[in-house]
Amino acid sequence: MPIPLRVQAGAWSGRGVDIAFDAEVGQALAAVAERALRCGALAGMELLLRETLRLTSASGAALFDGDTCVARAGTHAAGFASSPGRLLRLWPEQPRHQEGTLLERLSHFGGALLAAHARESSAQARHSRLLASQRALEQDAARWEVRRSLAAHDLRTPLMVVRGYLDMVLKGHAGPLGATMQRYLDRMARATQDQRAVIDQRLSRCPTTDLAPLLNARLNPHTRHAPRWEVTLALPDRPILMRAESSQLEAWLGALTRALATTRASSVWFFAVAVDARRCWQFDIQTQGGHVPAERRVAVAREHTRRLGGTLRAPTQDTQQSWVVQLPAEAGAGAP
């Protein structure tokens, strides 16, 4: 049996061969690990097989995951794995006796690379599924956007025609109008305007905003935005979702508090409740002391409420009822 060259070199130099060879194996495994970290586990396995052929002088090597050959190198095909698990196989099948410990180290490292490759394959498959799901969602969103645009056009067009004829009648193009007819036409014009606001609100891209934090920030007596009167808030546990931007709700709430301030009330009780029949949020506001609010402030608050698609009822000289505000709720979690 011929003596390996590294054994002859060690004998002539008088140095042990195990330390130098172990250092060489350690350098090879470090290079394989760096390659796997940079380029992936499969590239690391390819380099490991090449280093295995160089260190063992074998003609072929392969890494098996059960009965599946994941990577191979050399001029001869390695045999199929005869036992389950992750292992390294060489060609010829039986390694030399002095290289048994080396094969154990290489096979253990190859098993770690096979496990890493399985994790990478699973992550890639999951990433592919997520990309496919994202593309499907984007296509659905594009189709729904087209439907939204068509629905907005189909709903706004009849209102524009009705509003145009109402304007012509109100201007007297169809003849003189009596007081009763004038009042009816004014109501019809307001109804078409309110319906246009509802359509714009329902079919717009406005985000959903929770009104509860805004109410707490504006009316809570422990915040710097608290009014001078005593406020009692009674809000539900679930979010008060509105299809409106936060700036729109803040402007509405500011107009409402300014209208309430004109009453010079000593205390205000603010109660929010969901009206399931109308799918809206109703805010009952009761004041103690003071007088009726200023008409100009109430008109501004009522206009902000109308822009949100709701209604506002305020006390007058004749009726001393409480304030009642109704705003449409956003469908979804937390909505009535």
Side-chain angles (χ1 to χ4, degrees):
M1 175 179 179
I3 300 175
L5 294 178
R6 62 175 181 274
V7 178
Q8 297 181 14
W12 282 103
S13 61
R15 294 183 289 110
V17 298
D18 293 338
I19 297 177
F21 188 66
D22 286 344
E24 184 180 3
V25 174
Q27 291 178 0
L29 294 181
V32 172
E34 182 179 1
R35 177 73 173 177
L37 288 175
R38 290 186 175 183
C39 305
L42 186 59
M45 285 188 286
E46 294 174 353
L47 181 59
L48 176 66
L49 293 179
R50 292 197 298 269
E51 293 294 331
T52 300
L53 296 180
R54 182 178 65 85
L55 294 172
T56 61
S57 300
S59 58
L63 278 171
F64 284 88
D65 190 355
D67 292 335
T68 304
C69 179
V70 180
R72 64 173 67 239
T75 56
H76 295 83
F80 290 100
S82 58
S83 59
R86 299 185 174 102
L87 67 156
L88 173 68
R89 302 297 298 271
L90 296 180
W91 183 268
E93 290 287 340
Q94 297 296 329
R96 288 173 290 185
H97 176 70
Q98 66 269 22
E99 294 171 344
T101 304
L102 171 63
L103 283 182
E104 290 180 2
R105 294 179 62 183
L106 296 176
S107 181
H108 179 73
F109 201 83
L113 290 177
L114 285 170
H117 178 64
R119 291 192 298 270
E120 290 179 356
S121 300
S122 177
Q124 290 177 357
R126 180 174 178 272
H127 183 65
S128 299
R129 291 194 299 269
L130 289 176
L131 286 179
S133 177
Q134 181 182 1
R135 286 193 293 268
L137 289 176
E138 290 176 352
Q139 293 174 359
D140 290 341
R143 287 194 294 268
W144 277 107
E145 178 62 23
V146 173
R147 294 181 63 181
R148 186 199 68 83
S149 300
L150 293 175
H153 178 268
D154 294 341
L155 291 174
R156 291 192 184 109
T157 301
L159 282 179
M160 292 175 60
V161 176
V162 173
R163 186 54 189 263
Y165 280 104
L166 283 175
D167 290 340
M168 288 189 296
V169 174
L170 287 172
K171 291 178 181 179
H173 295 298
L177 299 175
T180 303
M181 185 63 68
Q182 182 76 33
R183 186 171 64 254
Y184 290 167
L185 291 175
D186 290 338
R187 290 181 180 177
M188 292 174 62
R190 287 196 299 269
T192 56
Q193 189 174 0
D194 294 340
Q195 185 65 25
R196 175 62 183 268
V198 171
I199 293 174
D200 292 341
Q201 181 188 14
R202 291 299 181 183
L203 297 180
S204 66
R205 302 176 183 177
C206 293
T208 301
T209 306
D210 186 5
L211 183 59
L214 300 179
L215 290 173
N216 285 316
R218 173 70 69 167
L219 300 177
N220 196 305
H222 301 290
T223 61
R224 64 184 181 90
H225 298 291
R228 296 180 180 179
W229 59 80
E230 181 182 355
V231 179
T232 301
L233 279 176
L235 303 179
D237 296 334
R238 56 182 176 176
I240 305 176
L241 298 181
M242 302 286 179
R243 179 177 282 275
E245 295 182 358
S246 178
S247 59
Q248 293 177 316
L249 294 176
E250 289 178 353
W252 166 79
L253 193 54
L256 181 62
T257 54
R258 286 190 292 270
L260 287 170
T262 60
T263 62
R264 298 187 181 274
S266 59
S267 62
V268 175
W269 186 64
F270 199 101
F271 179 74
V273 63
V275 182
D276 297 338
R278 299 191 59 182
R279 298 193 61 83
C280 69
W281 289 102
Q282 179 170 312
F283 305 97
D284 297 325
I285 308 171
Q286 297 181 2
T287 59
Q288 184 177 1
H291 49 77
V292 295
E295 294 182 3
R296 185 173 62 86
R297 291 295 187 183
V298 173
V300 174
R302 185 175 286 111
E303 176 62 21
H304 281 278
T305 307
R306 187 195 62 79
R307 292 177 182 176
L308 294 175
T311 59
L312 183 147
R313 187 183 66 195
T316 61
Q317 293 287 353
D318 300 330
T319 58
Q320 297 294 331
Q321 77 272 16
S322 62
W323 298 65
V324 178
V325 181
Q326 289 186 348
L327 292 177
E330 168 61 15

